[in-house]
Amino acid sequence: MGCAPSIHVSQSGVIYCRDSDESSSPRQTTGASQGPAAPLHGLFVQTDAADAIPQSRASGPPGAARARRARGELGSGSSAGSAATTCGGRRRHCCSSAEAETQTSYTSVKVLLIFAKEDSQSDGFWWACDRAGYSCNIARTPESALECFLDKHHEIIVIDHRQTRNFDAEAVCRSIRATNPSEHAVILAVVSQASGNYEEASVLPLLHAGFNRRFMENSSIIACYNELIQIEHGEVLSQFKLRACNSVFTALDHCHEAIEITSDDHVIQYVNPAFERMMGYHKGELLGKELAELPKSDKNRADLLDTINTCIKKGKEWQGVYYARRKSGDSIQQHVKITPVIGQGGKIRHFVSLKKLCCTADKNKQILKIHRDSGDNSQTESHSFRYKNRRKESIDVKSISSRGSDAPSLQNRRYPSMARIHSMTIEAPITKVINIINAAQENSPVTVAEALDRVLEILRTTELYSPQLGTKDEDPHTSDLVGGLMTDGLRRLSGNEYVFTKNVHQSHSHLAMPVTINDVPPSIAQLLDNEESWEFNIFELEAVTHKRPLVYLGLKVFSRFGVCEFLHCSETTLRAWLQVIEANYHSSNAYHNSTHAADVLHATAFFLGKERVKGSLDQLDEVAALIAATVHDVDHPGRTNSFLCNAGSELAVLYNDTAVLESHHTALAFQLTVKDSKCNIFKNIDRNHYRTLRQAIIDMVLATEMTKHFEHVNKFVNSINKPIAAEIDGSDCECSPPGKNFPENQTLIKRMMIKCADVANPCRPLDLCIEWAGRISEEYFAQTDEEKRQGLPVVMPVFDRNTCSIPKSQISFIDYFITDMFDAWDAFAHLPTLMQHLADNYKHWKTLDDLKCKSLRLPSDS
């Protein structure tokens, strides 16, 4: 057998490798040195972690041979390198100023072992460090330990506290704790096992000396390994986070937004310089004070603070507009976002408030005030002029002309511009109508001229197609319903914004889906056999597909209309697309979920089967209509556009409070489609077809937005119904379809079709109508609850779950939105079954309302 080296350290700190005899069975090393010593400089071992837990202190872990070879390779001298390759054992003899080190590349945790002499316990920690992949140093004296720690800043320090004759462990701990880097170190005391005759000693003296933990003597490598791992994932991980605090606070100090951090009981613990500048306080005046001690502005709603506290105490983020009072006494309007910070035990430990000045006239005044306070008079004048120019009522041409010598030229420029405006030849159709009426007024009697004045007033409004509700004895159900569905909510803003967001899931469904329509399970296939009938029960399909009806119905309907053939895509691609779209509907919504999408798809397919509709549209129109129906409410959050606008949601900001949800549905649908080739149903059609198809889909989805409801219905009546009626009255011949060769008419038909499909619930069989009424009411109830919780304007107060009459709300909806629209659609498409259901359902709701019954069914039915 060859010689095995043992490691020795000289007084000078140079580490030597000395050969020793090696036996063949468990590898043992002797302390006898043979031959000259070969120095190994800068012992730094980089090795793989041990493959298994070391079983023998003498032999070391299975990875020890690699570690020893690495040590030999890092040394100098051929004999040392040669000896290292045959090293079968390992011992360390360290003197006062020397330390041995081992490290892997997996972690940055550094461990310092302070043991006066080597024994099984120090070896246990050494090999535990090797297994865990930690960098490990061994020091033999208090002086070398302190020197080593100040050099390397270890995260874990293990001190031998079992014997006092070599050094005082508590004194060593105190000396380390006296240094600045020690605040981030965890110090472990290794103590002797308590004898059975003695009571276990208290840990308090160790804690007072600066130790963090106590470790009962145990040379088992796994015991040492477990202890170190627990420390790493506990105290060390926490210390790593604390080390970043200086960087975090530096970032906060340089942040432009005002930031305030308070404790869970609203005691101010931190404010950044931006907060000091905004509020006019010095941080010394704020730290340690309760928020309640600071002066409040009287411009906030009386219940706003209660609303905020209710929200954040539940662990929810609050965002809105709040008036704060500066030290000078001025009130400033701020956009405030308050985020609760959850700490140990899942409890709220802090609140972080981020504050920005609002862009309002009040803000401008405050900015001017701040500049005056700072003595910047020149900038004050500059700002004053700039902000006045932004406000229409603040300045006119005469005031500009009085400001400087170039005023005459400014004034002279104005009048030629006005003259050019009057002489412009750009003339819209409405301009032509107004000009004709103006000309007619000149030669008309007074009564006619006055009537035409009234006509002009009406024409100049932007709401040409929206009927006006009477002010006397109007039905609150109708008023609230119209207000909630046909306005953007901005007229009712309170100034308190709340960000309402939903996560967008862009993943495929995890349900087992059919590869083709032929692979549909028999129970589902049997239901789908009836999908061409208006009596088709979508809720039975919802139940048997576990709330995923859209994929199955979509495969059947799209197959019937030859969508894959038109798009030149495989059924696999269509299936993947349907899965992605359905996955992005929110099953948690009571109404706006994939079942509603499937219902609208079914109605659209039913309407496309009607002769006059079929004769008016091309196949591209049919494909666009089916796709639009499928995606028309994708990622719907279960709240109305009015809610999102009032809440200042990200979607409302993105789409400028205009057709917020409908714009989002179409945008997301195309994003989901084209992002992955596996579900891109448009990838094989040419560019022109794609653009035409895309525009048709977008137009139809946007048509479902209720603010344009009466515009679409009136245009359809005037452009489609009336010409057909005129043709029928003027001749006995069968009139031709009105859409062919008239793209504008085809667009009106497609809009009307998807609008009717979207709100066809009152025309469904009674049981389905009742179920849909309950679902939409529940969604509106949830919105009202949310608005009250967040202090937002209640868009539809009548939809209070404690007081609402669902029958009355259904009557109002049918009277105001459904009857006229379906009369017009029936006159075109001929839908006697739907109209009979509508009449029957209306009678049902009227009966319930006459009985003052708020439930959905007659007492006899239940």
Side-chain angles (χ1 to χ4, degrees):
M1 303 298 290
C3 295
S6 61
I7 298 175
H8 295 263
V9 185
S10 71
Q11 292 290 342
S12 62
V14 179
I15 300 174
Y16 292 90
C17 179
R18 297 183 183 277
D19 291 342
S20 61
D21 293 333
E22 178 184 38
S23 59
S24 59
S25 64
R27 294 178 179 178
Q28 302 288 340
T29 58
T30 66
S33 59
Q34 298 178 8
L40 297 174
H41 300 290
L43 184 62
F44 176 85
V45 179
Q46 205 164 20
T47 177
D48 296 329
D51 301 321
I53 299 172
Q55 299 297 322
S56 166
R57 168 177 168 252
S59 62
R66 290 195 299 273
R68 286 186 290 273
R69 283 196 295 272
R71 291 187 189 92
E73 290 161 2
L74 289 169
S76 60
S78 58
S79 61
S82 175
T85 61
T86 60
C87 180
R90 175 168 173 265
R91 292 182 60 82
R92 297 167 306 284
H93 301 277
C94 299
C95 298
S96 60
S97 62
E99 67 270 348
E101 179 178 336
T102 180
Q103 177 181 343
T104 75
S105 60
Y106 298 118
T107 180
S108 60
V109 176
K110 297 183 290 292
V111 180
L112 174 61
L113 305 180
I114 305 176
F115 285 79
K117 61 180 181 177
E118 182 182 6
D119 61 6
S120 61
Q121 186 63 71
S122 65
D123 276 1
F125 276 110
W126 174 275
W127 288 118
C129 291
D130 186 70
R131 171 173 168 73
Y134 299 158
S135 168
C136 183
N137 301 98
I138 299 179
R140 299 304 187 200
T141 65
E143 295 78 12
S144 63
L146 187 60
E147 180 183 355
C148 184
F149 173 71
L150 291 175
D151 178 48
K152 299 184 180 294
H153 297 177
H154 304 82
E155 283 79 30
I156 303 174
I157 302 172
V158 182
I159 302 178
D160 186 3
H161 194 281
R162 295 169 298 171
Q163 302 177 21
T164 57
R165 62 176 178 269
N166 296 310
F167 56 72
D168 185 344
E170 295 184 10
V172 173
C173 181
R174 282 191 289 268
S175 67
I176 293 176
R177 284 294 183 209
T179 64
N180 288 331
S182 69
E183 63 176 330
H184 300 301
V186 179
I187 305 181
L188 177 71
V190 179
V191 299
S192 300
Q193 292 280 357
S195 172
N197 300 327
Y198 295 95
E199 185 178 349
E200 184 174 330
S202 170
V203 77
L204 282 177
L206 296 176
L207 296 177
H208 292 156
F211 288 99
N212 299 96
R213 293 170 71 99
R214 180 183 66 181
F215 179 80
M216 287 292 184
E217 181 178 16
N218 187 341
S219 60
S220 165
I221 295 175
I222 188 61
C224 298
Y225 173 81
N226 287 340
E227 181 72 12
L228 294 176
I229 290 297
Q230 290 181 71
I231 294 174
E232 179 196 358
H233 289 273
E235 291 96 326
V236 172
L237 186 60
S238 299
Q239 292 296 338
F240 278 149
K241 293 179 180 178
L242 288 175
R243 290 187 191 184
C245 283
N246 289 335
S247 301
V248 171
F249 282 114
T250 300
L252 293 177
D253 287 345
H254 289 83
C255 183
H256 293 297
E257 287 81 13
I259 297 173
E260 173 190 68
I261 300 176
T262 64
S263 63
D264 58 336
D265 52 357
H266 303 296
V267 175
I268 300 174
Q269 297 187 336
Y270 171 83
V271 294
N272 69 341
F275 185 94
E276 296 178 82
R277 291 192 295 270
M278 178 187 290
M279 301 303 298
Y281 289 98
H282 185 270
K283 68 169 61 176
E285 302 174 90
L286 297 173
L287 298 184
K289 281 193 174 182
E290 292 188 16
L291 290 178
E293 298 178 38
L294 300 180
K296 302 288 187 298
S297 172
D298 55 3
K299 292 187 177 183
N300 295 304
R301 285 199 339 264
D303 62 342
L304 181 57
L305 281 176
D306 291 336
T307 300
I308 295 172
N309 285 327
T310 300
C311 178
I312 62 178
K313 285 294 186 182
K314 292 179 180 177
K316 297 180 180 178
E317 185 179 89
W318 183 89
Q319 182 167 328
V321 175
Y322 181 82
Y323 285 92
R325 188 178 296 279
R326 301 183 75 244
K327 183 179 180 180
S328 61
D330 301 326
S331 289
I332 55 174
Q333 191 181 28
Q334 303 170 323
H335 279 295
V336 180
K337 179 162 71 173
I338 305 176
T339 304
V341 179
I342 308 299
Q344 188 176 8
K347 295 183 179 180
I348 298 172
R349 301 298 181 183
H350 296 88
F351 297 105
V352 178
S353 302
L354 189 148
K355 306 182 180 186
K356 301 178 184 177
L357 286 174
C358 293
C359 295
T360 62
D362 284 345
K363 177 186 175 181
N364 300 339
K365 293 175 184 177
Q366 292 306 323
I367 291 176
L368 298 179
K369 177 70 176 175
I370 292 171
H371 281 292
R372 290 192 200 105
D373 291 344
S374 62
D376 194 350
N377 295 325
S378 61
Q379 285 194 9
T380 298
E381 186 175 351
S382 172
H383 275 279
S384 176
F385 180 75
R386 181 164 70 251
Y387 287 118
K388 281 184 180 179
N389 274 277
R390 290 180 183 174
R391 298 167 53 202
K392 295 179 181 178
E393 72 276 12
S394 298
I395 200 163
D396 57 18
V397 175
K398 290 182 181 179
S399 63
I400 293 178
S401 65
S402 65
R403 283 188 178 274
S405 58
D406 61 340
S409 62
L410 290 172
Q411 192 171 5
N412 291 336
R413 283 182 209 147
R414 180 174 182 267
Y415 295 104
S417 298
M418 295 301 294
R420 285 196 299 274
I421 290 173
H422 287 296
S423 64
M424 282 181 179
T425 57
I426 299 173
E427 199 171 57
I430 190 65
T431 310
K432 293 180 181 179
V433 172
I434 292 174
N435 290 340
I436 292 171
I437 294 174
N438 283 329
Q441 278 184 308
E442 294 178 3
N443 301 315
S444 298
V446 175
T447 53
V448 175
E450 289 177 352
L452 292 176
D453 277 337
R454 177 62 181 146
V455 171
L456 290 174
E457 287 180 20
I458 294 172
L459 290 177
R460 287 191 177 100
T461 182
T462 57
E463 302 295 337
L464 295 178
Y465 292 92
S466 297
Q468 295 178 338
L469 289 174
T471 57
K472 294 183 179 180
D473 300 324
E474 66 183 19
D475 179 12
H477 285 77
T478 303
S479 176
D480 284 353
L481 202 59
V482 173
L485 297 179
M486 295 196 61
T487 65
D488 54 14
L490 293 179
R491 300 182 185 89
R492 310 179 71 165
L493 271 173
S494 67
N496 297 305
E497 296 177 354
Y498 170 75
V499 175
F500 180 92
T501 58
K502 282 276 192 178
N503 292 326
V504 176
H505 302 286
Q506 299 186 354
S507 61
H508 294 262
S509 172
H510 296 293
L511 293 176
M513 291 296 173
V515 176
T516 67
I517 189 63
N518 298 321
D519 298 324
V520 172
S523 59
I524 299 176
Q526 185 177 357
L527 281 175
L528 291 176
D529 287 341
N530 193 40
E531 60 88 13
E532 293 187 42
S533 168
W534 186 253
E535 315 297 322
F536 178 71
N537 192 325
I538 195 68
F539 298 113
E540 290 182 359
L541 184 64
E542 178 193 61
V544 76
T545 59
H546 307 290
K547 295 187 176 182
R548 288 301 185 186
L550 188 57
V551 170
Y552 294 96
L553 182 65
L555 285 172
K556 182 72 181 291
V557 169
F558 279 47
S559 174
R560 177 155 62 91
F561 283 87
V563 173
C564 288
E565 291 79 3
F566 180 84
L567 296 175
H568 306 295
C569 73
S570 66
E571 196 169 82
T572 301
T573 302
L574 174 63
R575 173 179 52 82
W577 178 77
L578 287 168
Q579 285 180 254
V580 169
I581 295 300
E582 184 155 39
N584 282 277
Y585 276 93
H586 298 187
S587 60
S588 58
N589 290 344
Y591 181 87
H592 288 100
N593 48 43
S594 67
T595 304
H596 168 66
D599 185 63
V600 175
L601 174 62
H602 172 263
T604 302
F606 181 83
F607 295 152
L608 287 172
K610 294 301 174 180
E611 287 301 321
R612 187 171 277 167
V613 177
K614 189 187 303 182
S616 302
L617 302 177
D618 301 320
Q619 188 179 10
L620 185 145
D621 298 313
E622 294 178 350
V623 172
L626 295 173
I627 294 173
T630 303
V631 306
H632 83 282
D633 272 333
V634 67
D635 195 41
H636 197 295
R639 300 292 184 266
T640 64
N641 279 334
S642 298
F643 178 95
L644 298 180
C645 293
N646 283 342
S649 74
E650 294 177 2
L651 289 180
V653 173
L654 178 64
Y655 295 110
N656 300 313
D657 297 326
T658 304
V660 174
L661 286 172
E662 293 72 24
S663 300
H664 175 59
H665 301 323
T666 49
L668 179 63
F670 280 100
Q671 289 171 5
L672 293 171
T673 302
V674 302
K675 71 163 190 172
D676 188 348
S677 177
K678 293 179 181 178
C679 64
N680 187 355
I681 57 176
F682 304 127
K683 61 186 175 183
N684 294 326
I685 60 175
D686 65 66
R687 184 185 301 273
N688 290 333
H689 270 118
Y690 172 70
R691 288 178 62 83
T692 305
L693 190 66
R694 172 175 159 80
Q695 289 305 314
I697 294 168
I698 293 172
D699 184 82
M700 278 186 278
V701 175
L702 292 179
T704 63
E705 201 247 329
M706 293 302 289
T707 63
K708 301 292 184 182
H709 171 80
F710 292 100
E711 177 177 342
H712 295 315
V713 173
N714 280 290
K715 285 182 177 179
F716 183 85
V717 170
N718 291 325
S719 300
I720 305 296
N721 290 137
K722 289 183 177 180
I724 291 177
E727 288 186 25
I728 293 174
D729 292 340
S731 66
D732 295 329
C733 66
E734 184 176 342
C735 62
S736 60
K740 289 293 186 181
N741 302 320
F742 292 91
E744 306 84 42
N745 286 352
Q746 289 178 320
T747 298
L748 294 176
I749 292 169
K750 287 183 291 184
R751 289 175 182 171
M752 191 70 163
M753 177 171 60
I754 196 169
K755 281 180 62 60
C756 289
D758 190 27
V759 292
N761 307 332
C763 301
R764 292 287 187 182
L766 181 60
D767 285 345
L768 305 186
C769 173
I770 290 174
E771 177 65 19
W772 283 123
R775 292 190 178 200
I776 190 62
S777 298
E778 176 54 35
E779 198 162 286
Y780 287 162
F781 292 158
Q783 174 170 314
T784 300
D785 294 342
E786 180 80 359
E787 287 164 336
K788 290 180 178 179
R789 279 198 306 271
Q790 303 303 336
L792 295 171
V794 178
V795 174
M796 295 181 285
V798 74
F799 280 98
D800 185 310
R801 66 175 69 250
N802 299 315
T803 59
C804 180
S805 168
I806 295 178
K808 193 177 290 292
S809 69
Q810 285 297 302
I811 292 169
S812 299
F813 183 66
I814 293 172
D815 283 340
Y816 201 78
F817 291 104
I818 298 300
T819 301
D820 290 342
M821 181 171 70
F822 271 88
D823 280 342
W825 186 235
D826 173 54
F828 172 70
H830 188 55
L831 305 163
T833 304
L834 277 72
M835 301 310 290
Q836 185 60 52
H837 283 315
L838 178 59
D840 294 342
N841 295 339
Y842 188 82
K843 181 180 178 181
H844 171 78
W845 298 123
K846 286 291 288 183
T847 303
L848 289 175
D849 185 48
D850 291 339
L851 295 173
K852 306 299 181 184
C853 181
K854 295 182 180 180
S855 63
L856 302 180
R857 298 182 183 274
L858 291 168
S860 58
D861 296 337
S862 56

